[in-house]
Amino acid sequence: MARMKRAGGLRLGAATLLVAFAVGLGVAKADGPVTFVGWGGEGQDAMKKAWADPYEAASGVKVLQDSPTDYGKFKAMVESGNVTWDVVDVEGSFAYKAAAEGLLEPLDFSVIDKTNLDPNFVFDHGVGSLTWSWVLAYNKTSLGDKTPEGWAAFFDTKTYPGGRAVTKWLAPGMLEAALLADGVPADKLYPLDIDRAFKKFDSIKKDIVWWDSAAQSQQQVASGEAAMGMLWNGRAHLLETSGAPVTVSWKENLVTADYVVIPKGTKHKAEAMKLIAQVVSAQGQATHSALTAYGPVNTQAEALIPADVKPALPSNHTDGQIVIDLGYWEKNIDAINKRWYEWQAQ
């Protein structure tokens, strides 16, 4: 099942960062055009501006765009030996699962410099393309002078009445939020107590307003249809900056990353490695963060990000931040997904 689009709109003020830049690309002979695959929409537009366009300018290699990322298509390509995608932006849980199933090329870290990459988001077959957090976004008009903080407040509909915007598509982070709200210490979350998490969701089930697109999640909270929502931080940031009566609690924000990976059997492996080097370069990461308010995985990018953007990034809210355990989700996502959809239907 394809994931819905997450990334938000573009920040016009970041246009000055869109200079041709690429790390270590030189003018080496190209082995052909490469195809980059993302989730489409404004999010992929930002990826193109931050990563593909500078790479193309520096290397002379055309970067073709395709979308959306589709896991079924990804797997079918690899298994049939007819791979037409070269670099694909995927969810972290898929990256780990696909690696375990032999669907990915191992990365060449002599080309991709991981020296300054956050080690939480690097493994043999993938590197983080961007970090993002689940945050609690709330409508200030709906809640008056109340200021909810943390996931316990999200599940407390007596103190903070109103709807709760929750994604229909289970993603790593949902159950963690429920367990934190129920008193499980952050360092004791894994392995997840699934029964306990679902019991916590039972307590607010009648108040849930389901969303199946990022735009819908924004509309629900901005309009007050939901007093609170579990939103991607970039989408919440757009609401804050748009003038909507919405603000964010970063307490216990649950951070993870999208990853860029290379399908097994790609015909342009060498060029794909170089494109990924651009994706995780300090400038590539900084430009993308400036455009989207999603975080960089390259620690050297921070110095290049405009000061007015930094407060909106997960990397600026690490106190009490919880890193989602993708290794756990790799092994358990199918079973938990099945239960999540069955629970919704009950």
Side-chain angles (χ1 to χ4, degrees), residues 192-210:
L192 299 177
D193 185 334
I194 306 299
D195 290 339
R196 185 172 175 176
F198 274 91
K199 185 176 180 181
K200 191 65 178 177
F201 267 108
D202 283 340
S203 71
I204 64 165
K205 191 171 186 179
K206 66 179 177 55
D207 300 298
I208 290 177
V209 182
W210 295 107

Side-chain angles (χ1 to χ4, degrees), residues 107-269:
L107 298 186
D108 182 352
F109 290 108
S110 70
V111 176
I112 302 164
D113 183 1
K114 65 177 181 179
T115 306
N116 296 310
L117 303 187
D118 184 334
N120 285 310
F121 307 119
V122 180
F123 75 114
D124 290 347
H125 291 78
V127 290
S129 56
L130 59 101
T131 66
W132 56 273
S133 285
W134 285 114
V135 295
L136 189 166
Y138 63 95
N139 187 300
K140 293 183 288 186
T141 302
S142 297
L143 295 182
D145 59 357
K146 296 176 180 176
T147 56
E149 292 284 342
W151 299 117
F154 187 85
F155 285 82
D156 180 0
T157 53
K158 291 183 179 177
T159 306
Y160 308 99
R164 298 295 191 265
V166 176
T167 179
K168 289 177 66 176
W169 315 113
L170 180 68
M174 293 289 105
L175 301 190
E176 286 90 333
L179 292 171
L180 289 166
D182 206 41
V184 177
D187 62 351
K188 305 293 184 187
L189 278 174
Y190 300 100
L192 299 177
D193 185 334
I194 306 299
D195 290 339
R196 185 172 175 176
F198 274 91
K199 185 176 180 181
K200 191 65 178 177
F201 267 108
D202 283 340
S203 71
I204 64 165
K205 191 171 186 179
K206 66 179 177 55
D207 300 298
I208 290 177
V209 182
W210 295 107
W211 55 265
D212 61 9
S213 73
Q216 190 178 26
S217 73
Q218 291 176 293
Q219 186 276 328
Q220 289 170 347
V221 179
S223 68
E225 181 182 6
M228 298 185 201
M230 296 177 71
L231 267 60
W232 296 317
N233 73 280
R235 287 288 180 168
H237 176 67
L238 282 177
L239 287 177
E240 287 185 296
T241 56
S242 71
V246 174
T247 193
V248 169
S249 166
W250 282 90
K251 183 179 179 181
E252 300 174 325
N253 73 90
L254 292 150
V255 69
T256 187
D258 271 15
Y259 281 69
V260 277
V261 299
I262 300 175
K264 188 84 172 178
T266 174
K267 299 176 180 63
H268 308 109
K269 184 164 67 174

Side-chain angles (χ1 to χ4, degrees), residues 2 17 38 58 71 78 80 82 90 106 120 125 156 167 183 196-197 216 224 226 237 244 259 273-274 288 318 322 341:
L17 287 173
Y71 299 147
V78 174
S80 68
N82 184 26
V90 301
N120 285 310
H125 291 78
D156 180 0
T167 179
R196 185 172 175 176
Q216 190 178 26
H237 176 67
Y259 281 69
M273 298 290 176
K274 295 175 187 176
H288 186 266
T318 56
I322 296 141
Y341 301 134

